[in-house]
Amino acid sequence: MTECAASVTIRAPRARAFGVATAYDSLKEALPLHYAMSRTRSRRGGVAVVQARMSVAGMEWSVMARHTEDAPRRHETAIIGGDGRGTTIVETYEADGEATVLTVRARIRRRGPLGMPLPVGRRRADEWVRGLAAAIARAAES
């Protein structure tokens, strides 16, 4: 399991930044370097199940993910099926005056053939988390 975190200050209100990361059907347009496809399969209250093809630490994954929202403070993504099963990504959004401080924490697990765990490089994972935080910031500020 590879763990990493990154923070970025976004020049946008917390609700706008949170909205970018939780508009699941438009993640391909908002975060094109991170999502090739994203489609909501079901939604109940603050929980959504989303099918996606996403780029994680230099690898393309086909996943089924459970997104849990505590708007506009916290968004958790747990990969429940597919290539990265067991991976969790937690985004926290803290108001800082007119800006928002976004912190992204990821615990990345990659499985290979027959469920064997495969290492995810620390450097690539750190770059990916920083890139995801920066992409959310760019989309929220535009």
Side-chain angles (χ1 to χ4, degrees):
M1 176 99 42
T2 303
E3 297 185 29
C4 48
S7 290
V8 65
T9 300
I10 302 172
R11 293 182 310 261
R14 181 165 67 165
R16 179 169 171 81
F18 186 85
V20 166
T22 56
Y24 309 119
D25 292 332
S26 62
L27 288 176
K28 179 182 177 184
E29 292 79 25
L31 309 171
L33 297 177
H34 298 278
Y35 285 88
M37 182 276 295
S38 180
R39 179 178 27 190
T40 304
R41 304 304 287 178
S42 71
R43 186 177 200 54
R44 288 196 180 107
V47 178
V49 175
V50 177
Q51 177 185 8
R53 276 197 342 265
M54 57 191 291
S55 173
V56 177
M59 301 167 284
E60 181 151 326
W61 288 0
S62 180
V63 303
M64 189 67 69
R66 180 183 63 240
H67 294 263
T68 307
E69 303 170 11
D70 180 16
R73 294 178 285 283
R74 188 172 193 275
H75 171 227
E76 180 176 343
T77 305
I79 299 183
I80 57 175
D83 297 321
R85 193 181 75 216
T87 295
T88 58
I89 304 159
V90 178
E91 302 156 11
T92 55
Y93 299 82
E94 296 177 29
D96 185 19
E98 300 284 320
T100 303
V101 176
L102 166 63
T103 302
V104 179
R105 288 183 172 76
R107 296 181 69 199
I108 303 171
R109 172 177 283 164
R110 180 175 171 216
R111 296 187 181 273
L114 304 174
M116 299 292 292
L118 299 173
V120 174
R122 175 72 176 185
R123 193 183 88 221
R124 280 190 155 198
D126 284 337
E127 289 172 3
W128 176 75
V129 168
R130 283 194 306 271
L132 178 61
I136 293 170
R138 279 192 305 275
E141 291 173 351
S142 62

